[in-house]
Amino acid sequence: MSNNRRDFIKLAGLGLVGSAIPQFSKAESPAQLLNLSQKRHEQLFNMCGFAAPKLETVRVGVIGLGQRGPGAVDRLSKIEGVEIKALCDLIPERVDKIKEKLKGTKHNPESYSGSVYAWKKMVDRNDLDLIYIVTPWDWHTPMAVYAMENGKHAAVEVPAAKTLEECWQLVETSERTKKHCMMLENCCYDFFELMTLSMARDGFFGEIIHTEGAYIHDLLWLNFMKESDGGYQDMWRLKENYRDGNLYATHGLGPVCQILDINRGDQMDYLTSLSSADFHMAEKARELAEEDNFFGSFAEKLYGGNMNTTIIKTKKGRSMMIQHDVTSPRPYSRLHAISGTKAFAQKYPVQKISKEHSWLKEDEVKAIEEKYTPEIVLKVGELAKQIGGHGGMDFMMDWRLIDCLRNGLPLDQDVYDAALWSAISPLSEWSVAHRSNSIDVPDFTGGSWKKNKPVEITLKGGGSTMVIV
């Protein structure tokens, strides 16, 4: 274990870092980041394809009950074989509220709250199998690392890490402990994204040439919403926008990485990134500061640009484009586009498929949907829509995670995916700061991408977990 990581774990464990929202994720200097991007990794154990021992009952502890946590608890409570043993949040009222909602179910979790490090006491329990992390981004890596160090699997919201050092910490800890670290990238379970993965596996697109993904969502209002009005605690999400790059790459990136077999037959080689100027954030902060002194400190800050475009070249010569914009007044788009030698498919604003110069007709698309809708959607898709969570993809993700753990199956996303998909943010920041010069993308698999098998989201060996509605 490196001295840096040993010190990191010591500090995180003893609670000697930071305040209410500690800034664990100190940005690397440009020289440090460049060095870490070229790091050569000697794999301790290959976590790609790793199947942990079966867990008939998955005993879960959830950390974070703010914006996303309550929905996660509700979804998990409806999955067979889950026992929600513990809930943790800095604010006691949040824990009490969720415990009240669980009354009448089989779940009677113990409460952890009121302290910045209450989560550590929860993780120290010896009767938990999975730590489900739904907290501000600065906490993601410290909590996931601590969970794995203490014998638990970690499921962590996006992004799993903010710096390359944190990405390497996740990889090295998972390999050493042989504990799963899955980033909860729900867009990998969107119905259309799953269908295009099925199409790609059957050769529908031919050779994949180019892919596109994006997260374009007008969240200017939410970034500036006070906590007292339902916004993020300590304005942490707004503060993330002091950075300039693709801060939230994984929604568009995850599904296309699986289609391209990234980490499993192909690998990212290098990227370049460009951001527009900031046309909204600083102006909004100054506007609000005129009426409310609370926003005075935010009015003097520099913010990242509205639109970031990051392009990536893979080892096998394919190209990827990933975009991020959460401030411009434009319709929501989570662009998902697959361009191959034989066909093309795209989602947002609508789902379209083509094999030539023009789009296929509605009945032709319908026939393709009937052929390629994967069995996971056929099994739990309608239930997922009823239970909810971004149209059902949140529930599909949680159900699949639990079903894999209960049946001793490899997870669809492993620690290498969590690290690589998260790494795009700091790498893009470096490129933006260096006039869009290219930078190498590290190989977190230590070369095993050349032999790792592509992900197959099928129900083979699993699919036995019931849904409780």
Side-chain angles (χ1 to χ4, degrees):
M1 185 189 305
S2 70
N3 289 334
N4 284 345
R5 193 173 73 240
R6 187 178 291 110
D7 291 342
F8 170 91
I9 293 168
K10 179 181 177 182
L11 289 172
L14 295 178
L16 300 178
V17 182
S19 56
I21 302 293
Q23 297 297 309
F24 287 107
S25 305
K26 301 296 184 183
E28 296 110 345
S29 70
Q32 289 172 323
L33 188 143
L34 192 61
N35 182 57
L36 287 168
S37 74
Q38 299 170 343
K39 180 176 177 177
R40 297 294 178 262
H41 176 53
E42 293 186 12
Q43 197 173 68
L44 296 174
F45 180 83
N46 190 359
M47 291 299 293
C48 184
F50 170 71
K54 293 181 180 181
L55 294 168
E56 182 176 348
T57 299
V58 182
R59 301 167 299 177
V60 183
V62 180
I63 313 175
L65 299 172
Q67 296 280 348
R68 292 276 290 157
V73 173
D74 179 65
R75 296 190 304 271
L76 289 166
S77 72
K78 294 177 169 61
I79 302 174
E80 179 194 12
V82 169
E83 184 177 358
I84 301 172
K85 299 278 290 184
L87 297 174
C88 179
D89 194 274
L90 186 63
I91 301 171
E93 292 77 11
R94 290 178 175 174
V95 179
D96 295 341
K97 184 178 180 179
I98 300 306
K99 285 194 69 173
E100 183 67 26
K101 288 186 176 181
L102 288 173
K103 283 187 176 179
T105 72
K106 67 176 182 178
H107 306 283
N108 184 29
E110 189 170 340
S111 302
Y112 294 83
S113 62
S115 165
V116 172
Y117 284 94
W119 64 270
K120 179 179 177 290
K121 294 179 181 178
M122 188 193 84
V123 175
D124 285 340
R125 293 173 58 138
N126 59 11
D127 61 346
L128 295 176
D129 305 301
L130 174 69
I131 304 301
Y132 198 105
I133 302 164
V134 202
T135 62
W137 299 350
D138 276 335
W139 287 98
H140 287 183
T141 295
M143 289 176 172
V145 166
Y146 194 79
M148 290 184 285
E149 292 282 358
N150 284 273
K152 283 81 173 176
H153 301 301
V156 55
E157 264 289 0
V158 302
K162 285 178 56 179
T163 68
L164 288 193
E165 171 62 24
E166 287 187 332
C167 292
W168 285 115
Q169 288 166 4
L170 292 175
V171 168
E172 292 167 8
T173 305
S174 181
E175 289 182 353
R176 179 167 43 79
T177 62
K178 295 183 182 178
K179 292 297 177 181
H180 289 301
C181 179
M182 174 181 167
M183 184 166 65
L184 295 165
E185 184 37 77
N186 54 356
C187 294
C188 290
Y189 297 90
D190 178 274
F191 293 21
F192 187 73
E193 274 85 327
L194 283 170
M195 187 180 76
T196 54
L197 177 62
S198 179
M199 293 162 67
R201 290 290 178 267
D202 194 47
F204 181 89
F205 297 106
E207 290 291 323
I208 307 296
I209 302 168
H210 173 76
T211 63
E212 298 175 7
Y215 184 70
I216 298 172
H217 194 182
D218 183 3
L219 295 174
L220 186 66
W221 60 276
L222 181 58
N223 277 299
F224 282 97
M225 183 182 289
K226 290 182 178 180
E227 182 182 350
S228 58
D229 296 327
Y232 292 96
Q233 184 183 351
D234 196 36
M235 305 297 284
W236 71 262
R237 188 72 178 262
L238 176 60
K239 293 174 183 177
E240 292 291 350
N241 289 278
Y242 298 159
R243 301 154 57 203
D244 196 3
N246 191 324
L247 308 186
Y248 205 62
T250 69
H251 280 346
L253 186 67
V256 296
C257 279
Q258 291 190 322
I259 286 173
L260 288 171
D261 297 333
I262 300 299
N263 286 336
R264 298 170 174 83
D266 199 0
Q267 187 59 287
M268 296 182 193
D269 192 0
Y270 60 91
L271 67 74
T272 183
S273 186
L274 179 145
S275 288
S276 73
D278 165 38
F279 289 87
H280 282 97
M281 280 285 193
E283 180 182 353
K284 184 67 173 178
R286 289 191 292 268
E287 174 189 318
L288 291 170
E290 290 286 344
E291 304 293 333
D292 188 343
N293 290 336
F294 173 83
F295 292 100
S297 62
F298 299 106
E300 299 303 316
K301 298 294 185 181
L302 294 176
Y303 296 88
N306 283 46
M307 171 64 80
N308 175 272
T309 301
T310 298
I311 53 176
I312 304 166
K313 188 74 173 288
T314 77
K315 296 285 189 181
K316 289 191 172 181
R318 280 89 71 86
S319 59
M320 310 169 69
M321 182 196 75
I322 307 296
Q323 291 186 309
H324 174 268
D325 185 340
V326 293
T327 52
S328 299
R330 53 182 289 180
Y332 178 86
S333 175
R334 209 179 65 245
L335 175 65
H336 175 74
I338 310 298
S339 179
T341 56
K342 294 181 179 179
F344 176 82
Q346 177 177 306
K347 179 179 180 180
Y348 283 94
V350 295
Q351 301 176 9
K352 294 184 177 182
I353 301 171
S354 73
K355 285 190 172 181
E356 296 174 337
H357 187 65
S358 57
W359 299 112
L360 294 179
K361 296 178 180 179
E362 186 176 343
D363 60 333
E364 295 174 303
V365 173
K366 184 69 173 177
I368 290 171
E369 290 175 348
E370 290 177 356
K371 180 177 180 181
Y372 289 110
T373 295
E375 54 185 334
I376 185 174
V377 174
L378 296 175
K379 183 174 182 66
V380 297
E382 288 305 314
L383 285 170
K385 290 177 183 178
Q386 293 175 34
I387 294 169
H390 292 94
M393 63 185 184
D394 289 5
F395 181 78
M396 194 108 67
M397 171 186 69
D398 291 334
W399 178 85
R400 174 67 172 174
L401 166 61
I402 298 301
D403 190 63
C404 286
L405 291 175
R406 295 186 72 229
N407 286 286
L409 298 174
L411 304 188
D412 300 327
Q413 296 89 40
D414 56 39
V415 70
Y416 308 115
D417 301 318
L420 180 62
W421 302 353
S422 298
I424 300 307
S425 293
L427 291 169
S428 69
E429 290 177 72
W430 184 95
S431 182
V432 167
H434 292 81
R435 295 179 61 85
S436 301
N437 280 320
S438 65
I439 184 169
D440 290 341
V441 179
D443 174 15
F444 294 102
T445 74
S448 68
W449 64 268
K450 298 175 183 178
K451 62 178 184 297
N452 291 338
K453 294 181 179 179
V455 65
E456 295 284 354
I457 304 181
T458 72
L459 299 184
K460 183 178 180 181
S464 57
T465 300
M466 304 299 291
V467 179
I468 306 164
V469 293

